[in-house]
Amino acid sequence: MGPHAGGALSPRARSGPSASRALRELERIAREYAAGLAPQKRELLAQLGGARLRSAPELFRLHEIACFLRAYPDDAAVLAAACEVLEVFASRPDLGRHAKRLSDSGIAGTSLHFPFHWVTARWLAERWPAQLHVDWQALSERERERFEQVLPLLLPYAEWPDPELGLSPRQWLERLKGPRETDATFLIRRFDALGVGPRERESLFHDLGKPLRIDAAPGSPSRSTAWLAGGEPVFQRRPLSRARPPVAQSVRRRLRSVEPLSRRDGQQAIELARTSLISRGRDLDGIMYASPDDVRLIDAGGGLSLACLGLAPEHRALVETLYVFLLLKNGVPVGYYQAALLFESAEVNYHVFTTFRGVETSDHYVRALGVVHQLFGSNAFAVHPYQLGHENRDALRAGAFWFYRKLGFAPENPRVLATLRREERLARREPAYRSSPNALRRLASDYVFLYLGQPRDDIAGKLPLSAFSLAVSDFLAARFGSDRERGLRVSARELAELTDTRLGDLSRTERLAWERLAPLALALPGVGDWSRRELHALAELVRAKGAVREADFARRLDRHARVRRALIELAAKVTSPARGTARARR
């Protein structure tokens, strides 16, 4: 919960037309910042906090305004009033009448329906076991059949369900679960007890279609009170900026502070990120598998902070390094982005939550690039086609390509460049010109790039990362055939001998990284001829993949020129069946 002044609200607009008028007036001035508006906002929030609104859309609009003013308050009184509205939203009488229509809105006091991934489902079952249910109505016929096939795997042999009884999966779960657990909680606990590895468990759970419902309860995931406590609020004294900042200068602007969080505080930041996405019907690997030991809080100034989340060692990629950032304005989550790091570059996939769109978007995005530049030394940035509108209707409709283009991003695909030149020529000729949907689709069909230095090819978005896993497959297949387990053991020993490394000196996570990366390291062209210094640095690089903070690996990879050249050479040698579409991996 965020800090705010206490005190009861004194509503004046009790219900009906007067409340609707007050809501419209608050809506009119909510994003305006000028002398005399703060007292009006405070008074209208107080009125509407005790009013009874007539419809679900009106309740939704009030909630979104309060969320916005919680993030962008004029002063302490507006902040307190916005917090008060949000903290008691779940107990509003009018919400009780309209809660069903507001399901999946993420508002406190409403239910959520979503096909959560395994890790998130387990987290929900641990935190809210009585509220979690299987959403049977959302199951397809194929998914019901999969339930019937998987159910025997979850039970002791003596309990195997007899198909002759004709019970549906729902009836079986009702019969099998304990008296104090829901069908979904029973299902998740039985999945947790399966004697298989994490990947197999996730795959089985995913194949069920995983439709779940979490009912409203005190403290259940919602957007209404999701904010990070602490820190002095920064009040909005001037009109909100929609200007585009100078990118090169802004990216290099120094951060105010970068604070590593304790494991406990790191876990709280991860849970805030999970809640922020769950309550918006989203799930993200980089948050699901985030490590509480690799969380930093970054103060970017102006009330903007970022929670930087690193992956747990078990879930890290082979070569690239992934970090997720939760964007916080006065502690309120306003969006997030992922940065996939490779050779002093980053593929940045950015998302602003709907409530906060159209406000300081360019400024926040450029600051996001600045955080990646200053934390990791990235001097080249790539944007995936999905962010531009490729197979993404919302981004296409919004003309997202032009947002990035106006910040200096440019395509390098000749066909896309030809379309861009034509569209820019038409826009210069006719200022009111807007690109057609077909033109936007062509513009969004490939990556765009931004360089702080000279353009280059060894960057995220250009190097086909699938080539590295294919190189591992080629190496293991040629030497070990189907006995992959032996191949991993032998490769780990051979790399240890080559680099003078004692495997017994490695930590558990370093050993895991070593076993995963050893075949790739041995497949590097000419690695057996490297100097002792280069091989010792290679060993430290491999160990760093299992370090507490994966950024250590990214920095070592950037500095190891021999590994860098060898990986680029290897990627060029490996023939990928998806070489032409390797970029569309996310």
Side-chain angles (χ1 to χ4, degrees), residues 164-223:
E164 297 295 328
L165 295 176
L167 297 180
S168 68
R170 183 174 190 174
Q171 290 170 322
W172 272 116
L173 285 186
E174 282 296 322
R175 188 177 187 90
L176 293 166
K177 73 180 185 64
R180 295 181 181 85
E181 58 187 355
T182 68
D183 50 7
T185 301
F186 170 82
L187 184 69
I188 290 164
R189 288 171 177 168
R190 291 310 306 158
F191 261 92
D192 212 17
L194 272 176
V196 297
R199 287 193 303 170
E200 293 84 357
R201 184 181 292 108
E202 289 179 23
S203 179
L204 283 169
F205 188 75
H206 181 275
D207 206 31
L208 289 181
K210 56 195 186 313
L212 298 174
R213 182 187 84 243
I214 183 161
D215 291 339
S220 61
S222 82
R223 301 187 289 116

Side-chain angles (χ1 to χ4, degrees), residues 106 112 223 275-282 333 353-356:
L112 291 166
R223 301 187 289 116
T275 298
S276 299
L277 267 70
I278 286 170
S279 58
R280 292 172 170 89
R282 289 174 172 266
F353 298 140
T354 305
T355 310
F356 307 100

Side-chain angles (χ1 to χ4, degrees), residues 253-321:
R253 183 167 53 187
R254 286 182 61 83
L255 304 172
R256 292 181 61 179
S257 66
V258 179
E259 177 189 355
L261 298 185
S262 67
R263 183 177 178 84
R264 180 179 64 85
D265 291 343
Q267 187 62 50
Q268 289 181 352
I270 292 169
E271 296 207 357
L272 175 63
R274 285 177 173 171
T275 298
S276 299
L277 267 70
I278 286 170
S279 58
R280 292 172 170 89
R282 289 174 172 266
D283 222 345
L284 193 69
D285 287 359
I287 292 175
M288 285 192 296
Y289 300 118
S291 167
D293 296 315
D294 188 9
V295 180
R296 287 175 278 182
L297 188 63
I298 300 156
D299 185 349
L304 182 70
S305 56
L306 303 94
C308 172
L309 314 178
L311 283 171
E314 295 81 359
H315 300 285
R316 293 171 181 170
L318 199 62
V319 175
E320 66 179 340
T321 296

Side-chain angles (χ1 to χ4, degrees), residues 382-435:
V383 176
H384 191 278
Y386 180 83
Q387 298 285 304
L388 308 174
H390 178 67
E391 298 180 350
N392 181 346
R393 187 179 303 173
D394 289 342
L396 192 72
R397 206 163 32 219
F401 174 89
W402 292 110
F403 169 80
Y404 294 99
R405 176 59 182 154
K406 289 172 182 177
L407 290 173
F409 284 85
E412 297 183 7
N413 182 312
R415 291 191 302 276
V416 181
L417 268 173
T419 301
L420 174 61
R421 293 189 184 108
R422 182 173 60 252
E423 292 298 299
E424 290 185 328
R425 187 167 58 249
L426 291 170
R428 285 193 299 271
R429 190 180 304 161
E430 176 54 62
Y433 176 79
R434 294 292 180 270
S435 299

Side-chain angles (χ1 to χ4, degrees), residues 2 70 94 127 153 218 277 285 406 427 508 518 552:
R70 171 68 184 83
D94 47 5
R127 294 289 302 275
L153 303 179
L277 267 70
D285 287 359
K406 289 172 182 177
R508 180 189 66 83
D552 297 344

